Amino acid sequence: MPKTGKTYPDWVQEYRVRGTTVKKKGEKYYLYKRTSRWVPGKQYPQPVDTYIGVITPEGVHRSDKKKVTLTDASVKEFGFSKAVESLCPQSWKEPLGKDWREVLDFIILKESAESYIATERGTIDELNPHIQYGAQKSSLIRRMQKESGADMKDLKCLLTIYLIYMDGNKIVSKISDEQREILLLIVVGFLSGKTSLRRIVKWAKRNQEKLKNT
């Protein structure tokens, strides 16, 4: 790469090839991959530096930690939406035929406007005229209560479990003990069939230490 006015030792200079840049902090030299990208409002492309490692006389000690740009991250509600999806009874889906997914997503988005569903499958402005939102929501709540013992109001504590989209990856946020209990009961309910969620909650509270280590 073109040389600048900065002076570096020969063992540092050999790594200053095209597409890289070196930054000195204290007595250490750090190697970065340099690219550029367009930024709205800027006239010229802006440099983007991705950390590679520390330059030493013996070579480059590469970092095994992936750097991410937090400004590119987005956060969506996940826990409540996923729980309602998972507990949605087949007996509720069947009468709706192929429309069940759209109706379920519509109901969830009404309850959680920041749901990850909007990112994964898009928003839904309105349902087909022949589908009554209020009636379908009430039916869903009743059937969930009957078949799994779950009340949609009880699942609202999961609204603060988020899905973080960051650098092409998806990360689930920290889960509290109370939320862990609800999630555990959902899993156990699936494995054991029609098991009362409230019964499992009582079991979960007696096994706090196990829950903390799961």
Side-chain angles (χ1 to χ4, degrees), residues 103-125:
V103 179
L104 181 62
D105 285 356
F106 189 83
I107 292 173
I108 293 174
L109 286 166
K110 283 289 187 180
E111 297 295 311
S112 176
E114 294 300 316
S115 171
Y116 84 106
I117 288 173
T119 300
E120 298 285 329
R121 296 193 288 272
T123 57
I124 303 170
D125 295 327

Side-chain angles (χ1 to χ4, degrees), residues 3-4 6-17:
K3 306 302 182 190
T4 67
K6 295 181 180 179
T7 301
Y8 296 103
D10 291 341
W11 50 270
V12 174
Q13 197 70 21
E14 65 176 296
Y15 292 102
R16 298 183 69 220
V17 299

Side-chain angles (χ1 to χ4, degrees), residues 23-41:
K23 298 178 182 180
K24 183 181 180 182
K25 298 177 183 179
E27 298 301 317
K28 293 185 177 181
Y29 298 88
Y30 299 87
L31 182 65
Y32 294 79
K33 177 182 178 182
R34 170 153 288 187
T35 57
S36 62
R37 67 178 178 182
W38 288 100
V39 176

